[in-house]
Amino acid sequence: MDDRIRFETKEESNARREREFLALTPHERFLWFLRSFDGRRSDPDAVDQPTKNFVICKKDDLVR
């Protein structure tokens, strides 16, 4: 996605982002979904509480 600064309303921004996302192929959408987890890191000091949610975690150290 484009990282340029834009001056637009939230509704305009959401509509633009939706158009850009829907213009991607299904394969590109899936890759975008997987890459969206890269910026999210859990707080190492937080206490993990068990949930019944399905969670996908990306490992930092991959076995080769």
Side-chain angles (χ1 to χ4, degrees), residues 19-49:
R19 281 191 311 273
E20 290 173 355
F21 182 76
L22 293 176
L24 300 174
T25 66
H27 175 74
E28 291 171 326
R29 290 181 196 178
F30 182 65
L31 292 177
W32 183 92
F33 170 74
L34 293 177
R35 280 190 297 254
S36 71
F37 292 102
D38 286 342
R40 299 179 187 184
R41 297 285 184 239
S42 61
D43 183 3
D45 297 328
V47 177
D48 289 334
Q49 296 181 3

